[in-house]
Amino acid sequence: MNNVVLCTNLKQNLDVAIERCEHDKIFVLADVHTQQLCLPLLLKSIDNVQVFAIGAEDLNKNIQTLVSVWNFLSQKGASRHSLLINLGGGMITDLGGFAASTFKRGINYINLPTTLLAMVDASVGGKTGINFNGLKNEIGVFNAADSVLIDTDFLRTLNHDNILSGYAEMLKHGLISDVSHWAELLNFDMNHIDYTLLKQLVGQSIQVKQGIVGQDPNEKGIRKALNFGHTFGHAFESLALARQKPILHGYAVAYGMVCELYMSCVKSGFPKDKMRQTIHFIKENYGLFSFGCDDYDQLYQLMLHDKKNENDVINFTLLEDIGKIQINQHADRKTIEEVLDFYRECME
Ligand code: GLY
Protein backbone atom coordinates (compact mmCIF):
# COMPACT_ATOMS: atom_id res chain seq x y z
CA MET A 1 0.00 0.00 0.00
CA ASN A 2 1.10 3.62 -0.50
CA ASN A 3 3.08 5.45 2.14
CA VAL A 4 0.93 8.61 2.25
CA VAL A 5 2.47 11.66 3.93
CA LEU A 6 0.63 14.87 4.77
CA CYS A 7 3.55 17.24 4.22
CA THR A 8 4.76 19.61 6.89
CA ASN A 9 8.02 20.47 5.12
CA LEU A 10 8.21 19.43 1.47
CA LYS A 11 11.99 19.23 1.37
CA GLN A 12 12.26 17.02 4.43
CA ASN A 13 9.29 14.88 3.44
CA LEU A 14 10.70 14.45 -0.05
CA ASP A 15 14.17 13.55 1.25
CA VAL A 16 12.68 10.80 3.39
CA ALA A 17 10.47 9.54 0.55
CA ILE A 18 13.42 9.44 -1.87
CA GLU A 19 15.63 7.66 0.66
CA ARG A 20 13.02 4.89 0.93
CA CYS A 21 13.52 4.05 -2.76
CA GLU A 22 16.34 2.92 -4.95
CA HIS A 23 17.38 5.91 -7.05
CA ASP A 24 20.46 5.86 -9.22
CA LYS A 25 18.78 8.66 -11.18
CA ILE A 26 15.69 10.75 -10.47
CA PHE A 27 13.22 11.84 -13.14
CA VAL A 28 10.25 14.17 -12.84
CA LEU A 29 7.12 14.01 -14.98
CA ALA A 30 5.18 17.28 -15.03
CA ASP A 31 2.61 18.84 -17.31
CA VAL A 32 3.01 22.20 -18.99
CA HIS A 33 1.15 23.93 -16.14
CA THR A 34 2.81 22.21 -13.19
CA GLN A 35 6.17 22.75 -14.91
CA GLN A 36 5.54 26.50 -14.62
CA LEU A 37 3.69 26.68 -11.33
CA CYS A 38 4.86 23.80 -9.14
CA LEU A 39 8.23 22.59 -10.44
CA PRO A 40 10.15 25.63 -9.07
CA LEU A 41 8.96 24.65 -5.57
CA LEU A 42 10.03 21.05 -6.11
CA LEU A 43 13.44 22.11 -7.46
CA LYS A 44 14.06 24.03 -4.22
CA SER A 45 13.85 20.67 -2.49
CA ILE A 46 15.87 18.43 -4.84
CA ASP A 47 18.52 18.85 -7.46
CA ASN A 48 20.03 16.57 -10.07
CA VAL A 49 16.72 15.63 -11.62
CA GLN A 50 15.74 15.39 -15.26
CA VAL A 51 12.34 16.83 -16.09
CA PHE A 52 9.87 15.93 -18.83
CA ALA A 53 6.65 17.90 -19.35
CA ILE A 54 3.62 16.72 -21.32
CA GLY A 55 0.34 18.41 -22.33
CA ALA A 56 -2.01 19.00 -19.43
CA GLU A 57 -5.45 18.00 -20.71
CA ASP A 58 -7.01 14.56 -20.33
CA LEU A 59 -6.80 14.09 -24.12
CA ASN A 60 -3.03 13.65 -23.63
CA LYS A 61 -3.58 10.62 -21.43
CA ASN A 62 -2.97 8.31 -24.37
CA ILE A 63 -0.58 5.74 -25.79
CA GLN A 64 1.43 8.33 -27.77
CA THR A 65 2.17 10.35 -24.64
CA LEU A 66 3.02 7.17 -22.77
CA VAL A 67 5.51 6.25 -25.51
CA SER A 68 7.04 9.73 -25.22
CA VAL A 69 7.58 9.17 -21.47
CA TRP A 70 9.15 5.74 -22.07
CA ASN A 71 11.39 7.35 -24.75
CA PHE A 72 12.43 10.11 -22.38
CA LEU A 73 13.34 7.60 -19.65
CA SER A 74 15.18 5.43 -22.12
CA GLN A 75 17.11 8.27 -23.79
CA LYS A 76 18.13 9.78 -20.46
CA GLY A 77 19.53 6.45 -19.31
CA ALA A 78 16.94 5.40 -16.73
CA SER A 79 17.64 1.96 -15.28
CA ARG A 80 15.61 -0.50 -13.23
CA HIS A 81 16.90 1.36 -10.17
CA SER A 82 15.73 4.81 -11.22
CA LEU A 83 12.92 6.77 -9.63
CA LEU A 84 10.12 8.76 -11.24
CA ILE A 85 8.35 11.60 -9.42
CA ASN A 86 4.94 12.50 -10.84
CA LEU A 87 4.13 16.16 -10.29
CA GLY A 88 0.59 17.05 -11.30
CA GLY A 89 -3.07 16.18 -11.24
CA GLY A 90 -4.72 12.81 -11.81
CA MET A 91 -3.73 12.67 -15.47
CA ILE A 92 -0.03 12.89 -14.54
CA THR A 93 -0.22 10.49 -11.60
CA ASP A 94 -2.20 7.93 -13.65
CA LEU A 95 -0.04 8.11 -16.78
CA GLY A 96 3.25 8.54 -14.92
CA GLY A 97 2.34 5.69 -12.56
CA PHE A 98 1.66 3.46 -15.56
CA ALA A 99 4.88 4.52 -17.33
CA ALA A 100 6.87 3.71 -14.17
CA SER A 101 5.03 0.42 -13.61
CA THR A 102 5.88 -0.82 -17.09
CA PHE A 103 9.35 0.65 -17.78
CA LYS A 104 11.90 -2.19 -17.48
CA ARG A 105 9.11 -4.19 -15.78
CA GLY A 106 8.63 -1.52 -13.18
CA ILE A 107 10.60 1.21 -11.44
CA ASN A 108 9.71 3.00 -8.21
CA TYR A 109 7.61 6.12 -8.36
CA ILE A 110 6.47 8.86 -6.01
CA ASN A 111 3.29 10.87 -6.53
CA LEU A 112 3.30 14.55 -5.71
CA PRO A 113 -0.30 15.53 -6.52
CA THR A 114 -1.05 19.19 -7.15
CA THR A 115 -4.86 19.16 -7.43
CA LEU A 116 -7.41 18.35 -4.75
CA LEU A 117 -8.87 15.54 -6.87
CA ALA A 118 -5.47 13.91 -7.24
CA MET A 119 -4.67 14.36 -3.52
CA VAL A 120 -7.79 12.69 -2.19
CA ASP A 121 -8.39 10.19 -4.96
CA ALA A 122 -6.28 9.63 -8.09
CA SER A 123 -2.80 9.58 -6.57
CA VAL A 124 -3.72 7.23 -3.73
CA GLY A 125 -4.58 3.56 -4.12
CA GLY A 126 -2.46 2.33 -7.00
CA LYS A 127 -4.74 2.74 -10.01
CA THR A 128 -2.60 3.71 -13.01
CA GLY A 129 -3.39 3.85 -16.70
CA ILE A 130 -4.28 5.64 -19.90
CA ASN A 131 -7.36 6.14 -22.06
CA PHE A 132 -7.63 3.91 -25.14
CA ASN A 133 -10.04 3.67 -28.09
CA GLY A 134 -12.13 6.48 -26.62
CA LEU A 135 -12.54 4.63 -23.30
CA LYS A 136 -11.29 6.20 -20.08
CA ASN A 137 -8.60 4.30 -18.16
CA GLU A 138 -9.06 1.32 -20.45
CA ILE A 139 -5.42 0.18 -20.20
CA GLY A 140 -3.58 0.14 -16.89
CA VAL A 141 -2.42 -1.76 -13.85
CA PHE A 142 -2.86 -1.65 -10.10
CA ASN A 143 0.55 -0.69 -8.73
CA ALA A 144 0.85 1.71 -5.81
CA ALA A 145 3.34 4.58 -5.70
CA ASP A 146 6.04 4.01 -3.13
CA SER A 147 5.06 7.31 -1.48
CA VAL A 148 2.38 9.90 -2.03
CA LEU A 149 3.31 13.33 -0.71
CA ILE A 150 0.34 15.57 -0.02
CA ASP A 151 1.37 19.22 0.10
CA THR A 152 -1.86 21.18 0.47
CA ASP A 153 0.00 24.45 -0.16
CA PHE A 154 -0.43 23.66 -3.85
CA LEU A 155 -4.20 24.12 -3.32
CA ARG A 156 -3.77 27.81 -2.60
CA THR A 157 -3.28 28.49 -6.30
CA LEU A 158 -5.87 25.98 -7.54
CA ASN A 159 -8.99 27.54 -9.09
CA HIS A 160 -12.37 27.25 -7.39
CA ASP A 161 -13.85 24.81 -9.92
CA ASN A 162 -11.00 22.39 -9.38
CA ILE A 163 -11.31 22.73 -5.60
CA LEU A 164 -14.99 21.84 -5.94
CA SER A 165 -14.18 18.96 -8.25
CA GLY A 166 -11.89 17.35 -5.69
CA TYR A 167 -14.25 18.21 -2.85
CA ALA A 168 -16.96 16.03 -4.43
CA GLU A 169 -14.76 12.97 -3.89
CA MET A 170 -14.24 14.09 -0.29
CA LEU A 171 -17.99 14.34 0.15
CA LYS A 172 -18.25 10.80 -1.21
CA HIS A 173 -15.67 9.66 1.36
CA GLY A 174 -17.83 11.31 4.05
CA LEU A 175 -20.96 9.51 2.86
CA ILE A 176 -19.28 6.11 2.79
CA SER A 177 -17.54 6.54 6.16
CA ASP A 178 -19.18 8.24 9.14
CA VAL A 179 -21.72 10.88 10.12
CA SER A 180 -19.34 13.22 11.90
CA HIS A 181 -16.94 13.44 8.94
CA TRP A 182 -19.92 13.92 6.58
CA ALA A 183 -21.33 16.70 8.79
CA GLU A 184 -17.95 18.48 8.97
CA LEU A 185 -17.75 18.39 5.17
CA LEU A 186 -21.25 19.85 4.75
CA ASN A 187 -20.39 22.66 7.20
CA PHE A 188 -17.26 23.69 5.31
CA ASP A 189 -17.62 27.11 3.72
CA MET A 190 -16.64 26.62 0.09
CA ASN A 191 -16.80 30.36 -0.60
CA HIS A 192 -14.26 31.35 2.05
CA ILE A 193 -11.79 28.52 2.13
CA ASP A 194 -10.02 27.89 5.41
CA TYR A 195 -6.90 26.12 4.10
CA THR A 196 -5.84 24.90 7.54
CA LEU A 197 -9.17 23.18 8.03
CA LEU A 198 -9.10 21.94 4.44
CA LYS A 199 -5.74 20.28 5.11
CA GLN A 200 -7.20 18.45 8.10
CA LEU A 201 -10.23 17.32 6.09
CA VAL A 202 -7.96 16.16 3.25
CA GLY A 203 -6.01 14.04 5.76
CA GLN A 204 -9.24 12.44 7.04
CA SER A 205 -10.48 11.90 3.51
CA ILE A 206 -7.31 10.08 2.46
CA GLN A 207 -7.58 7.90 5.56
CA VAL A 208 -11.07 6.83 4.43
CA LYS A 209 -9.74 5.89 1.01
CA GLN A 210 -6.66 4.16 2.40
CA GLY A 211 -8.81 2.15 4.83
CA ILE A 212 -10.91 0.81 1.97
CA VAL A 213 -8.06 0.23 -0.51
CA GLY A 214 -6.11 -1.58 2.22
CA GLN A 215 -8.94 -4.13 2.53
CA ASP A 216 -9.36 -4.62 -1.23
CA PRO A 217 -6.52 -3.20 -3.36
CA ASN A 218 -7.73 -4.79 -6.62
CA GLU A 219 -11.42 -3.82 -6.37
CA LYS A 220 -12.90 -7.28 -6.02
CA GLY A 221 -15.31 -6.22 -3.28
CA ILE A 222 -15.44 -3.36 -0.79
CA ARG A 223 -13.30 -1.00 -2.92
CA LYS A 224 -16.45 -0.67 -5.05
CA ALA A 225 -17.68 1.60 -2.22
CA LEU A 226 -15.48 4.24 -3.84
CA ASN A 227 -17.71 4.04 -6.92
CA PHE A 228 -20.62 5.63 -5.07
CA GLY A 229 -22.05 8.38 -7.32
CA HIS A 230 -19.95 7.21 -10.26
CA THR A 231 -22.45 5.11 -12.28
CA PHE A 232 -24.70 8.09 -12.99
CA GLY A 233 -21.66 10.38 -12.68
CA HIS A 234 -19.71 8.74 -15.51
CA ALA A 235 -22.82 8.82 -17.74
CA PHE A 236 -23.21 12.58 -17.09
CA GLU A 237 -19.50 13.13 -17.75
CA SER A 238 -19.72 11.23 -21.06
CA LEU A 239 -22.94 12.99 -22.10
CA ALA A 240 -21.28 16.36 -21.44
CA LEU A 241 -18.27 15.28 -23.50
CA ALA A 242 -20.51 14.11 -26.35
CA ARG A 243 -22.14 17.56 -26.29
CA GLN A 244 -18.63 19.04 -26.52
CA LYS A 245 -19.24 20.83 -23.23
CA PRO A 246 -17.07 18.77 -20.87
CA ILE A 247 -17.61 19.02 -17.12
CA LEU A 248 -15.01 18.32 -14.45
CA HIS A 249 -15.02 14.78 -13.08
CA GLY A 250 -15.94 15.84 -9.55
CA TYR A 251 -18.91 17.86 -10.76
CA ALA A 252 -20.20 14.77 -12.60
CA VAL A 253 -19.70 12.72 -9.41
CA ALA A 254 -21.60 15.36 -7.38
CA TYR A 255 -24.58 15.13 -9.78
CA GLY A 256 -24.21 11.34 -9.76
CA MET A 257 -24.39 11.34 -5.96
CA VAL A 258 -27.71 13.23 -6.10
CA CYS A 259 -29.08 10.36 -8.19
CA GLU A 260 -27.52 7.57 -6.19
CA LEU A 261 -28.60 9.07 -2.86
CA TYR A 262 -32.17 9.09 -4.12
CA MET A 263 -31.80 5.53 -5.40
CA SER A 264 -30.37 4.62 -1.98
CA CYS A 265 -33.48 6.13 -0.31
CA VAL A 266 -35.85 4.22 -2.57
CA LYS A 267 -34.08 0.87 -2.63
CA SER A 268 -32.02 0.75 0.57
CA GLY A 269 -33.85 2.98 3.07
CA PHE A 270 -31.19 5.76 3.22
CA PRO A 271 -32.61 8.50 5.52
CA LYS A 272 -34.41 11.24 3.55
CA ASP A 273 -33.20 14.09 5.79
CA LYS A 274 -29.53 13.22 5.17
CA MET A 275 -30.23 12.94 1.45
CA ARG A 276 -31.86 16.40 1.44
CA GLN A 277 -28.99 18.02 3.36
CA THR A 278 -26.41 16.55 0.98
CA ILE A 279 -28.38 17.52 -2.11
CA HIS A 280 -28.79 21.05 -0.74
CA PHE A 281 -24.99 21.37 -0.42
CA ILE A 282 -24.45 20.05 -3.95
CA LYS A 283 -27.11 22.32 -5.45
CA GLU A 284 -25.69 25.38 -3.68
CA ASN A 285 -22.11 24.73 -4.73
CA TYR A 286 -22.18 22.80 -8.00
CA GLY A 287 -25.22 24.28 -9.75
CA LEU A 288 -27.07 22.21 -12.29
CA PHE A 289 -26.19 19.82 -15.10
CA SER A 290 -29.19 20.07 -17.44
CA PHE A 291 -30.73 17.31 -19.50
CA GLY A 292 -34.21 16.38 -20.66
CA CYS A 293 -36.17 13.13 -20.98
CA ASP A 294 -34.99 12.84 -24.59
CA ASP A 295 -31.47 12.25 -23.13
CA TYR A 296 -32.60 9.31 -20.98
CA ASP A 297 -31.90 6.70 -23.62
CA GLN A 298 -28.34 7.94 -24.18
CA LEU A 299 -27.69 8.10 -20.43
CA TYR A 300 -29.05 4.56 -20.01
CA GLN A 301 -26.85 3.27 -22.87
CA LEU A 302 -23.81 4.96 -21.33
CA MET A 303 -24.55 3.26 -18.00
CA LEU A 304 -24.98 -0.10 -19.76
CA HIS A 305 -21.45 0.25 -21.17
CA ASP A 306 -19.82 1.28 -17.89
CA LYS A 307 -16.76 -0.88 -17.22
CA LYS A 308 -17.84 -1.39 -13.61
CA ASN A 309 -20.70 -3.63 -14.82
CA GLU A 310 -20.57 -7.41 -14.58
CA ASN A 311 -22.63 -9.80 -16.75
CA ASP A 312 -24.11 -6.83 -18.67
CA VAL A 313 -25.99 -5.64 -15.59
CA ILE A 314 -25.60 -2.01 -14.47
CA ASN A 315 -23.76 -1.99 -11.17
CA PHE A 316 -24.41 0.53 -8.39
CA THR A 317 -22.98 1.11 -4.97
CA LEU A 318 -25.78 2.25 -2.66
CA LEU A 319 -26.03 3.28 0.98
CA GLU A 320 -28.40 2.11 3.69
CA ASP A 321 -27.17 5.02 5.77
CA ILE A 322 -23.96 7.01 6.05
CA GLY A 323 -21.13 4.46 6.24
CA LYS A 324 -23.48 1.51 5.57
CA ILE A 325 -22.41 0.42 2.14
CA GLN A 326 -24.19 -1.95 -0.23
CA ILE A 327 -22.07 -2.94 -3.23
CA ASN A 328 -23.24 -4.79 -6.37
CA GLN A 329 -26.76 -3.33 -6.40
CA HIS A 330 -28.86 -3.33 -9.56
CA ALA A 331 -31.76 -1.33 -10.95
CA ASP A 332 -34.00 -1.73 -14.00
CA ARG A 333 -34.48 0.91 -16.65
CA LYS A 334 -37.77 2.13 -15.13
CA THR A 335 -36.10 2.82 -11.77
CA ILE A 336 -33.17 4.57 -13.47
CA GLU A 337 -35.59 6.82 -15.37
CA GLU A 338 -37.48 7.60 -12.13
CA VAL A 339 -34.18 8.61 -10.56
CA LEU A 340 -33.44 10.91 -13.52
CA ASP A 341 -36.96 12.43 -13.10
CA PHE A 342 -36.16 13.05 -9.43
CA TYR A 343 -32.84 14.71 -10.30
CA ARG A 344 -34.55 17.09 -12.74
CA GLU A 345 -37.35 17.93 -10.29
CA CYS A 346 -35.10 18.64 -7.33
CA MET A 347 -32.18 20.31 -9.09
CA GLU A 348 -34.01 22.53 -11.61
N1 GLY B 1 -11.21 6.29 -7.74
C1 GLY B 1 -11.73 5.17 -7.09
C2 GLY B 1 -10.69 4.18 -6.72
O1 GLY B 1 -9.52 4.51 -6.62
O2 GLY B 1 -11.03 3.05 -6.53
Side-chain angles (χ1 to χ4, degrees):
M1 204 160 72
N2 302 119
N3 165 46
V4 181
V5 180
L6 207 51
C7 291
T8 44
N9 176 318
L10 184 59
K11 178 168 174 38
Q12 282 172 12
N13 299 128
L14 199 55
D15 282 348
V16 173
I18 289 172
E19 275 319 303
R20 284 170 49 99
C21 304
E22 287 189 299
H23 57 278
D24 59 354
K25 287 185 180 163
I26 303 178
F27 298 88
V28 175
L29 180 68
D31 66 44
V32 288
H33 299 317
T34 59
Q35 183 183 31
Q36 296 284 318
L37 298 171
C38 310
L39 186 65
L41 207 71
L42 178 69
L43 295 181
K44 278 189 194 161
S45 305
I46 42 171
D47 42 28
N48 251 332
V49 295
Q50 311 214 51
V51 180
F52 187 58
I54 60 177
E57 295 79 26
D58 198 65
L59 60 88
N60 295 296
K61 193 175 161 183
N62 58 30
I63 187 76
Q64 288 80 13
T65 313
L66 178 66
V67 169
S68 73
V69 178
W70 283 331
N71 271 329
F72 160 73
L73 292 171
S74 193
Q75 284 157 11
K76 299 291 177 188
S79 77
R80 276 189 114 160
H81 313 288
S82 297
L83 172 66
L84 180 67
I85 300 177
N86 297 316
L87 177 71
M91 196 277 271
I92 288 291
T93 59
D94 279 12
L95 187 143
F98 188 47
S101 304
T102 45
F103 186 77
K104 294 191 189 285
R105 297 211 178 91
I107 61 173
N108 279 319
Y109 72 99
I110 291 173
N111 282 337
L112 187 39
T114 55
T115 65
L116 186 56
L117 190 78
M119 288 181 194
V120 297
D121 192 18
S123 71
V124 176
K127 281 188 179 174
T128 73
I130 55 166
N131 304 332
F132 188 65
N133 277 348
L135 299 169
K136 280 180 70 90
N137 304 322
E138 182 72 351
I139 307 290
V141 293
F142 287 100
N143 178 38
D146 188 77
S147 291
V148 183
L149 301 182
I150 308 293
D151 187 342
T152 53
D153 279 348
F154 287 123
L155 299 179
R156 291 176 185 270
T157 51
L158 192 66
N159 64 42
H160 193 61
D161 285 349
N162 274 292
I163 292 276
L164 276 168
S165 182
Y167 202 82
E169 295 286 0
M170 293 172 66
L171 202 52
K172 177 196 77 181
H173 291 160
L175 285 163
I176 62 173
S177 61
D178 70 84
V179 176
S180 61
H181 184 44
W182 165 79
E184 265 184 306
L185 289 163
L186 287 195
N187 284 327
F188 188 75
D189 183 352
M190 297 302 304
N191 295 314
H192 304 94
I193 291 179
D194 173 345
Y195 287 96
T196 310
L197 179 56
L198 182 59
K199 180 175 182 174
Q200 183 195 313
L201 293 171
V202 164
Q204 286 171 257
S205 199
I206 293 170
Q207 272 178 15
V208 173
K209 177 152 187 186
Q210 285 272 85
I212 290 173
V213 171
Q215 295 171 59
D216 176 24
N218 294 340
E219 200 169 306
K220 302 284 182 226
I222 192 62
R223 185 166 180 166
K224 293 181 189 175
L226 298 169
N227 296 335
F228 180 70
H230 282 63
T231 304
F232 279 93
H234 280 154
F236 293 149
E237 201 174 355
S238 302
L239 180 64
L241 202 60
R243 290 172 169 173
Q244 295 184 323
K245 286 191 182 152
I247 54 175
L248 292 171
H249 175 71
Y251 276 67
V253 171
Y255 306 133
M257 287 194 291
V258 171
C259 295
E260 292 175 30
L261 278 171
Y262 178 68
M263 193 182 264
S264 295
C265 275
V266 173
K267 288 177 70 80
S268 310
F270 186 88
K272 278 204 176 68
D273 57 333
K274 291 177 185 150
M275 173 189 80
R276 285 204 190 95
Q277 287 175 67
T278 314
I279 291 178
H280 177 75
F281 181 90
I282 292 173
K283 202 170 161 176
E284 288 283 291
N285 288 291
Y286 294 83
L288 168 72
F289 174 68
S290 277
F291 56 86
C293 40
D294 44 355
D295 294 308
Y296 285 12
D297 186 55
Q298 194 177 353
L299 286 167
Y300 182 72
Q301 296 304 327
L302 286 165
M303 283 186 229
L304 263 184
H305 293 101
D306 193 307
K307 71 169 167 306
K308 299 188 298 298
N309 296 340
E310 284 163 31
N311 306 321
D312 293 329
V313 180
I314 301 173
N315 196 295
F316 293 94
T317 294
L318 299 180
L319 299 172
E320 244 178 274
D321 201 338
I322 290 174
K324 292 203 172 145
I325 300 152
Q326 294 182 326
I327 60 169
N328 297 331
Q329 301 299 298
H330 305 125
D332 57 19
R333 182 170 177 143
K334 185 166 168 288
T335 309
I336 289 171
E337 292 192 349
E338 278 167 15
V339 172
L340 293 170
D341 286 342
F342 168 84
Y343 172 95
R344 289 171 57 220
E345 273 157 33
C346 83
M347 295 291 279
E348 276 172 8

